Amino acid sequence: MELNRPDLSRIDPDVREYIQALETRLEKLEARQRWQASSQETADTALLEPSEPPTTINVITATAGGIAKRTPRHLYSRQRRGGMGVFDIETLQDEPPTVLAIADETQDLLLITDLARAFRLPVSAIDGKDVRSRGESITGRFSFSPDENLVAMLPDQAEGYVALLSQTGHVRLLRHHVFGEYMKPGTTLYDVKTMGKLASACRTPGDGDLFLATRQGKAIRFSEKILPPQGGLGIRLADGDLAVAITAVYPGDGVFLLGADGRGTIRLMEGFSANKSAGGSGKIAMNSDHLVAAAEVETTDDIFIISELSKMIRFQAEEVPPKEGVVQGVICMSLRSDQTSALAISKRLAAL
């Protein structure tokens, strides 16, 4: 029913003033509601609007138990650093996502477990899903042990090496041909009883340095050429510490370090000198009680971070201030009763 404002000139002035005050307050309330609705519509549009043209490059999300999905990268909109992200893979509460990878749908993935065993899997064999979707098992086709967990997913490359870091700080390098298309599924990469369970793995060209980081925020950098063929101790750990990340670097590179609290920093190698030998105790790379991951990054890259509650954020690396010294880091992902669990670096310019 349409209401018409009656003539208020004959009523008591105090009553008329009161009615006019109520009308003014109502107008302000309606204006605020219109603004909020408009802002939400804009936010929803921005969230759904792709940050890049359609691409065959996929973001692969997986749990330690091998529940995984792949989603085209362009469906993840870029946000500002410090946002809360969007819900990604749907998993059981006791099986959070722990592994992220970026790969083209035409590539194969190298799956490496904590028991230092390797398997090959085409990216196209993983179910393609929307951003927020339920994952499917990718390990059922392989002979995983009951206590075996997925640690790393690396896109296949016909060059360079794969660097392996154990939880005890040991490192081994293996040439790319070991992981070729004729590799036997479940190939053992090193003796776990001697070196410890796998913590991290990365690709390396073979002529640079390796950067190793621990949960307590310590790190060491040394030339990969000094490692013996059978591998050896890369970093000496303090009591209660564990090695968590390995990445290949050159002297002018930067490494993105991520804490469980969502803080991160880019540590420039110009301010982190290389050791002449492996096996040292390392030095503090970032002030963090719980470092989760580390990866070489360039300012043109995009950083993907996922949390234990399956929240995913994508932002540009240039938003993180690079530092030569030790810092606590800046907020990269806002968390509520949650913590980060994995990261992946997307080489943006090379793929757009």
Side-chain angles (χ1 to χ4, degrees), residues 35-334:
W35 179 86
Q36 290 175 340
S38 177
S39 298
Q40 184 61 50
E41 182 179 356
T42 301
D44 292 342
T45 302
L47 186 61
L48 297 174
E49 182 184 357
S51 297
E52 60 176 306
T55 176
T56 57
I57 296 175
N58 282 242
V59 178
I60 301 98
T61 314
T63 69
I67 303 300
K69 75 170 182 70
R70 64 180 175 92
T71 302
R73 187 183 64 182
H74 64 269
L75 295 182
Y76 295 90
S77 297
R78 294 190 186 96
Q79 299 183 23
R80 301 293 297 179
R81 171 183 64 78
M84 295 186 65
V86 296
F87 281 105
D88 192 50
I89 187 171
E90 295 183 10
T91 65
L92 298 176
Q93 187 174 3
D94 59 349
E95 191 174 3
T98 56
V99 187
L100 279 181
I102 311 290
D104 193 274
E105 64 183 20
T106 62
Q107 291 182 285
D108 284 355
L109 279 178
L110 179 63
L111 310 182
I112 311 179
T113 73
D114 60 347
L115 299 184
R117 298 205 303 157
F119 305 82
R120 286 177 63 95
L121 179 71
V123 172
S124 58
I126 304 173
D127 288 343
K129 303 275 189 174
D130 293 330
V131 172
R132 186 174 186 177
S133 302
R134 186 180 302 276
E136 304 291 340
S137 175
I138 59 173
T139 59
R141 69 194 74 191
F142 303 122
S143 56
F144 270 45
S145 302
D147 60 344
E148 192 168 12
N149 294 310
L150 183 64
V151 169
M153 298 185 295
L154 305 178
D156 185 37
Q157 292 182 9
E159 59 183 2
Y161 294 77
V162 171
L164 307 164
L165 172 68
S166 75
Q167 294 178 2
T168 60
H170 288 78
V171 181
R172 190 179 187 192
L173 287 175
L174 293 172
R175 287 187 60 86
H176 66 86
H177 67 266
V178 174
F179 308 96
E181 58 180 319
Y182 299 110
M183 180 188 72
K184 181 181 177 180
T187 294
T188 300
L189 306 179
Y190 65 75
D191 184 4
V192 173
K193 293 182 179 179
T194 302
M195 298 177 61
K197 289 188 174 182
L198 187 76
S200 179
C202 73
R203 292 279 180 182
T204 172
D207 60 353
D209 294 345
L210 293 175
F211 182 93
L212 285 54
T214 77
R215 179 176 292 184
Q216 294 179 1
K218 292 185 178 181
I220 191 173
R221 171 187 160 204
F222 56 83
S223 172
E224 56 189 281
K225 293 183 178 180
I226 66 177
L227 282 173
Q230 70 276 16
L233 185 64
I235 185 168
R236 193 173 304 277
L237 302 174
D239 291 341
D241 202 2
L242 291 173
V244 296
I246 186 170
T247 189
V249 295
Y250 288 109
D253 288 345
V255 173
F256 178 71
L257 301 161
L258 174 66
D261 59 358
R263 289 183 172 272
T265 187
I266 294 179
R267 188 68 192 269
L268 297 175
M269 293 299 96
E270 295 175 358
F272 197 96
S273 58
N275 285 31
K276 294 182 179 180
S277 61
S281 58
K283 54 187 176 182
I284 297 179
M286 176 180 170
N287 285 324
S288 175
D289 295 330
H290 186 176
L291 192 73
V292 170
E296 183 273 332
V297 69
E298 301 176 24
T299 57
T300 54
D301 296 339
D302 280 3
I303 298 174
F304 284 78
I305 298 174
I306 197 165
S307 74
E308 291 188 347
L309 294 181
S310 296
K311 297 294 288 295
M312 178 91 80
I313 188 171
R314 174 187 185 181
F315 60 91
Q316 296 176 329
E318 62 185 10
E319 292 191 38
V320 182
K323 302 292 183 180
E324 291 189 11
V326 179
V327 295
Q328 187 177 11
V330 295
I331 297 176
C332 295
M333 186 176 191
S334 295

